[in-house]
Amino acid sequence: MSTLAISVKDLSKKYGDRVAVSHANFEVPLGTVCGFVGPNGSGKTTTMRMLLGLISPTGGTGTILGEPINHPERYLNRVGAMIEGPAFYPALSGAENLRVLATLGGYETGQVQSLLERVGLGDRGDSKYKTYSLGMKQRLGIAAALLPNPQLLMLDEPTNGLDPAGIQEIRELLRSLASQGITVFISSHLLSEIEMISDSLVMLRKGKVIFAGKTQDLLERQQPTIIAKCLNTQDLPKLIQIAQSAGHSGSTIGEEAHILASADWAATLNTLAFQAGITLSQISPVLPSLEETFFEMTGDDE
Ligand code: ATP
């Protein structure tokens, strides 16, 4: 049996002359959470639709749970999906909506209450859908995706538009589903919203996979930086030299010196600058986000 939930090779999709996805290659091991990240329009939804057999690729191949994506009937009964926002009847309650979907899909209707509890809506199942907050709507969407008791859950932007508390709730829910053995493939246009729960990341930009690997590998490349400003900007090159003599590389960005060093070296830098007759008007240690780290690594700061 395959140990991969998703595997794609050179997967491509063109709409007329427009290339939406170009030669995508990545793998998602079973039992992991994989973040699928890219700006709006980078091809995430198109990729997910191909993986679910909703549209055909114009090139390349892929497998889901060991079965080829041109035979979705072989794996769809083991996959739960929420693509482009869940569609529910506003005037029906959450529980009624799930019962309708269960009946239509041929799933067990007796599991509705336990699914509502699983997504944290146990006591709101009888409220009308139209009274739900955005976060509750997303959680009901995830409950619907869980109806087939899936091995793989594919969610397109489930955190989109949520406030920080709502994002946190979805994160916790997905982590708990992953701890029950479900593989989670979740897209977001903001890496910061999902980096914490993702074991691995696939980053998409303009239809191309620009990073596919462990989140940890990106984290290890995060370089703490001290950002310093001189009262007299002409002192910037001298400040960089001082840092370099002490073994820390640095560069000038705008009117700031960016020096690769951890926060505890800031006091030393301040002292060395003072001894050299340089007055610093600002000195702040920062840890770049994974997004910044990635673009520093690739030199792509678009
Ligand atoms: P978003 O988060 O905004 O949905 P995305 O990363 O999911 O973005 P896609 O929706 O996959 O991106 O779109 C990728 C590209 O393909 C875009 O340039 C989009 O305009 C184009 N595209 C998507 N669907 C179609 C379609 N049915 N016909 C023509 N072009 C399309």
Side-chain angles (χ1 to χ4, degrees), residues 15 18 20 38-47 84 156-157:
Y15 292 107
R18 187 197 296 258
N40 290 328
S42 56
K44 304 181 298 295
T45 307
T46 300
T47 303
E84 288 174 323
D156 194 14
E157 303 258 6

Side-chain angles (χ1 to χ4, degrees), residues 82-264:
M82 185 173 84
I83 303 279
E84 288 174 323
F88 292 107
Y89 296 107
L92 296 187
S93 70
E96 284 165 340
N97 267 293
L98 287 187
R99 275 196 286 274
V100 169
L101 288 175
T103 308
L104 287 174
Y107 307 119
E108 183 55 52
T109 50
Q111 60 172 332
V112 164
Q113 184 55 31
S114 70
L115 277 183
L116 286 167
E117 276 158 23
R118 223 162 147 196
V119 301
L121 291 174
D123 55 352
R124 290 299 305 276
D126 292 333
S127 307
K128 286 200 162 92
Y129 176 76
K130 63 183 173 195
T131 66
Y132 282 10
S133 68
L134 188 57
M136 291 166 73
K137 288 177 177 169
Q138 297 289 43
R139 281 185 279 146
L140 189 68
I142 295 172
L146 288 171
L147 277 168
N149 192 20
Q151 283 166 270
L152 168 64
L153 198 55
M154 269 195 230
L155 306 172
D156 194 14
E157 303 258 6
T159 51
N160 204 8
L162 297 184
D163 60 16
I167 293 169
Q168 183 56 25
E169 281 174 13
I170 297 283
R171 279 197 202 119
E172 282 167 18
L173 170 59
L174 296 181
R175 259 287 151 216
S176 90
L177 294 173
S179 72
Q180 296 158 29
I182 300 178
T183 307
V184 181
F185 187 59
I186 169 184
S187 79
S188 174
H189 61 281
L190 290 174
L191 176 55
S192 56
E193 286 188 356
I194 54 169
E195 67 184 43
M196 276 176 260
I197 57 160
S198 300
D199 303 303
S200 64
L201 292 169
V202 174
M203 294 170 103
L204 210 57
R205 212 164 171 85
K206 294 181 187 157
K208 294 200 168 125
V209 173
I210 51 171
F211 175 84
K214 292 193 176 135
T215 312
Q216 194 57 32
D217 289 348
L218 264 191
L219 281 170
E220 277 164 12
R221 300 203 203 191
Q222 254 179 332
Q223 303 238 39
T225 305
I226 297 171
I227 298 178
K229 275 188 179 175
C230 300
L231 198 59
N232 181 353
T233 48
Q234 285 167 352
D235 287 336
L236 273 174
K238 204 164 143 196
L239 184 68
I240 303 273
Q241 256 179 17
I242 290 170
Q244 283 169 345
S245 313
H248 297 282
S249 60
S251 56
T252 308
I253 298 178
E255 295 197 338
E256 296 171 344
H258 285 227
I259 293 155
L260 297 185
S262 58
D264 55 7

Side-chain angles (χ1 to χ4, degrees), residues 7-21:
S7 167
V8 301
K9 224 168 168 234
D10 284 330
L11 193 68
S12 305
K13 179 72 183 177
K14 269 188 183 180
Y15 292 107
D17 286 343
R18 187 197 296 258
V19 178
V21 177

Side-chain angles (χ1 to χ4, degrees), residues 6-75:
I6 303 175
S7 167
V8 301
K9 224 168 168 234
D10 284 330
L11 193 68
S12 305
K13 179 72 183 177
K14 269 188 183 180
Y15 292 107
D17 286 343
R18 187 197 296 258
V19 178
V21 177
S22 174
H23 300 277
N25 288 290
F26 63 89
E27 292 177 344
V28 180
L30 278 172
T32 61
V33 177
C34 177
F36 191 34
V37 194
N40 290 328
S42 56
K44 304 181 298 295
T45 307
T46 300
T47 303
M48 285 191 160
R49 291 172 72 85
M50 287 192 278
L51 296 178
L52 290 165
L54 295 169
I55 52 172
S56 306
T58 42
T61 55
T63 61
I64 299 288
L65 301 170
E67 301 288 350
I69 55 172
N70 53 350
H71 283 287
E73 74 283 359
R74 295 190 192 160
Y75 59 82

